[in-house]
């Protein structure tokens, strides 16, 4: 299997987000990619400019960052459909995408749908988010490093003819970071793209990773519909597949995050997290992750629940006081 390390540059509405085409905030203007073999050796490069037809004036920020101009795009670019045909032919048959961050695959598919192209990728679409994997290996904390920071940290020399923020050059540097890092240690931690999600119960997705599992639900009309579905809220041990008793029931940390604590009689304490995400069509779907925790981790969940309870109580008191004040007036 080969790895397709790719990067995109895109344009956006120069008038601002409120003027953008619905479900089409970014129009791709450049595809750049590097092909690696299974030993992470570079065996090919791909670059294609695309002539925009929706946002035909370049946003000033895009000009500043990419140093592209509309004359160049019109002269050297091809229609998006032709670019995708060339790109997919170059990718070949057996490959896996690698990106720096999670946006590129989503925007690639969004552009394909807008231009009426069939999406040929498998469902679920699994890929490597190298930014996530690099941070997992080398960064202590939640902040994610940018590509240029990772390049500098990895001791990769910058090449004068390869500046950042050109699609091929960013893909090239991403591939070099991938070659330098201990990729074998994180190879099992694939990411899933959420542009296309399950539409029925039979399509719901269960993934198992070293140290945690993930469940992706079908699409629901509303957030509340997702949270009332047993497939979403039931807890299972991903080692023995047993349904678990909840020691701390699901509670809301914020509108998009629910947490619980369950117990497997054989394998111990299991933390559950449900993140509610918005689908492309405006509905909602749930991503539930489960992970084993120790007593310290369980105590942190209990503490968080008490903190949320106290915060909610204080908020209710303020509301009652406000109502009384209004009534007295």
């Amino acid at each position: 299997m080969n790895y397709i390390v790719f990067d995109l540059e895109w344009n956006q509405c120069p008038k601002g987000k409120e003027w953008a085409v619905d479900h089409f905030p970014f129009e791709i203007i450049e595809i750049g990619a590097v092909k690696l073999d299974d030993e992470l050796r570079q065996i090919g490069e791909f670059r294609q400019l695309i002539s925009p037809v929706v946002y035909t004036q370049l946003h000033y920020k895009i000009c500043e960052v990419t140093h592209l101009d509309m004359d160049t795009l019109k002269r050297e670019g091809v229609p998006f459909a032709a670019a995708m045909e060339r790109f997919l032919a170059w990718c070949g048959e057996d490959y896996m995408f690698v990106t720096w961050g999670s946006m590129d695959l989503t925007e690639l598919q969004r552009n394909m749908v807008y231009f009426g192209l069939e999406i040929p990728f498998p469902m679920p679409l699994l890929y490597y988010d190298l930014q996530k994997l690099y941070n997992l290996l080398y960064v202590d904390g939640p902040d994610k490093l940018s590509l240029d920071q990772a390049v500098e940290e990895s001791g990769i020399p910058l090449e004068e003819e390869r500046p950042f923020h050109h699609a091929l050059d960013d893909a090239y540097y991403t591939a070099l970071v991938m070659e330098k890092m201990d990729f074998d240690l994180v190879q099992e931690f694939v990411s899933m793209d959420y542009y296309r999600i399950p539409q029925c119960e039979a399509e719901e997705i269960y993934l198992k990773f070293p140290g945690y599992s993930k469940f992706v639900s079908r699409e629901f009309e509303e957030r509340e519909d997702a949270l009332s579905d047993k497939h979403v809220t039931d807890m299972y041990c991903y080692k023995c597949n047993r349904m678990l008793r909840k020691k701390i029931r699901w509670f809301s940390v914020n509108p998009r995050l629910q947490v619980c604590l369950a117990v497997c009689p054989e394998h111990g304490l299991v933390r559950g997290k449900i993140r509610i995400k918005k689908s492309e069509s405006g509905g909602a779907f749930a991503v539930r992750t489960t992970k084993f925790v120790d007593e310290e981790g369980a105590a942190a969940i209990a503490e968080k629940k008490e903190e949320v309870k106290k915060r909610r109580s204080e908020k209710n008191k303020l509301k009652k006081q406000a109502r009384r004040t209004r009534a007295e007036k």
Side-chain angles (χ1 to χ4, degrees):
M1 182 185 71
N2 294 324
Y3 299 100
I4 304 299
V5 186
F6 83 96
D7 184 76
L8 304 173
E9 301 295 341
W10 50 63
N11 189 25
Q12 61 195 76
C13 182
K15 295 180 180 179
K17 291 180 181 178
E18 63 273 18
W19 296 92
V21 175
D22 193 30
H23 296 294
F24 193 67
F26 305 114
E27 183 175 14
I28 296 170
I29 55 176
E30 184 181 16
I31 301 173
V34 171
K35 186 182 292 185
L36 306 179
D37 65 15
D38 57 3
E39 295 184 6
L40 305 186
R41 296 175 299 201
Q42 295 195 21
I43 57 175
E45 289 187 352
F46 178 90
R47 181 182 184 242
Q48 181 62 63
L49 291 179
I50 297 165
S51 182
V53 295
V54 179
Y55 304 126
T56 54
Q57 178 185 342
L58 284 180
H59 192 285
Y60 74 94
K61 287 185 179 179
I62 305 301
C63 292
E64 288 177 2
V65 170
T66 66
H67 302 292
L68 289 169
D69 59 75
M70 192 56 68
D71 288 341
T72 301
L73 293 175
K74 288 180 178 178
R75 185 175 64 253
E76 301 179 19
V78 300
F80 178 78
M84 280 306 302
E85 184 178 357
R86 295 176 188 179
F87 179 51
L88 292 174
W90 176 83
C91 287
E93 295 295 327
D94 188 16
Y95 64 88
M96 193 161 189
F97 283 128
V98 180
T99 63
W100 190 268
S102 59
M103 284 187 67
D104 289 87
L105 264 178
T106 294
E107 296 308 325
L108 185 69
Q109 293 172 94
R110 190 173 277 150
N111 273 248
M112 293 176 78
V113 168
Y114 182 85
F115 287 106
L117 304 181
E118 182 180 346
I119 296 177
F121 310 135
M123 175 73 178
L125 176 52
L126 304 179
Y127 70 104
Y128 286 115
D129 178 350
L130 208 69
Q131 184 184 44
K132 182 181 79 173
L133 300 183
Y134 185 90
N135 281 263
L136 187 65
L137 280 174
Y138 306 118
V139 178
D140 183 17
D143 294 336
K144 293 182 178 180
L145 290 190
S146 62
L147 177 59
D148 56 332
Q149 289 174 317
V151 167
E152 183 178 356
E153 277 198 0
S154 302
I156 297 169
L158 297 181
E159 300 177 27
E160 188 175 346
E161 69 278 12
R162 287 188 180 272
F164 285 113
H165 305 302
H166 290 181
L168 175 56
D169 299 326
D170 282 2
Y172 172 77
Y173 286 121
T174 302
L176 290 181
V177 171
M178 187 175 178
E179 292 172 32
K180 282 266 189 177
M181 63 193 283
D182 295 319
F183 184 68
D184 288 345
L185 298 179
V186 290
Q187 192 167 9
E188 293 181 89
F189 292 94
V190 295
S191 293
M192 176 186 161
D193 177 76
Y194 295 129
Y195 180 76
R196 292 177 298 159
I197 57 172
Q199 295 301 306
C200 64
E201 187 178 311
E203 294 177 355
E204 291 180 327
I205 297 162
Y206 298 83
L207 300 171
K208 190 182 291 187
F209 303 94
Y212 73 98
S213 68
K214 180 181 286 189
F215 162 78
V216 182
S217 80
R218 64 192 184 277
E219 184 176 14
F220 296 88
E221 286 190 15
E222 303 289 344
R223 168 184 176 275
E224 292 73 21
D225 298 330
L227 291 174
S228 63
D229 186 85
K230 277 182 61 63
H231 282 258
V232 173
T233 57
D234 279 346
M235 287 285 289
Y236 294 87
C237 175
Y238 57 87
K239 284 189 176 180
C240 63
N241 244 7
R242 187 189 317 236
M243 184 180 286
L244 305 181
R245 176 183 64 84
K246 297 182 184 72
K247 188 174 182 179
I248 298 177
R249 293 185 175 278
W250 291 105
F251 65 94
S252 178
V253 176
N254 59 52
R256 292 180 178 271
L257 176 62
Q258 303 271 327
V259 176
C260 83
L261 181 69
V263 183
C264 174
E266 183 178 352
H267 297 105
L269 297 163
V270 184
R271 182 196 67 198
K273 285 187 177 181
I274 296 174
R275 295 188 185 276
I276 301 297
K277 296 178 178 288
K278 189 175 181 180
S279 67
E280 186 70 12
S281 63
F285 67 100
V287 178
R288 186 189 68 228
T289 55
T290 54
K291 182 178 183 179
F292 289 104
V293 294
D294 55 17
E295 291 292 343
E296 185 179 345
I301 294 171
E303 186 179 330
K304 174 61 74 173
K305 183 176 182 180
E306 287 304 309
E307 179 188 316
V308 169
K309 186 178 177 181
K310 186 184 294 185
R311 195 166 62 232
R312 189 172 293 142
S313 177
E314 290 172 354
K315 190 175 180 181
N316 288 335
K317 283 180 183 177
L318 290 173
K319 284 183 178 178
K320 287 179 181 177
Q321 288 174 359
R323 282 198 295 267
R324 280 199 300 267
T325 302
R326 285 196 299 270
E328 289 170 0
K329 289 180 179 180

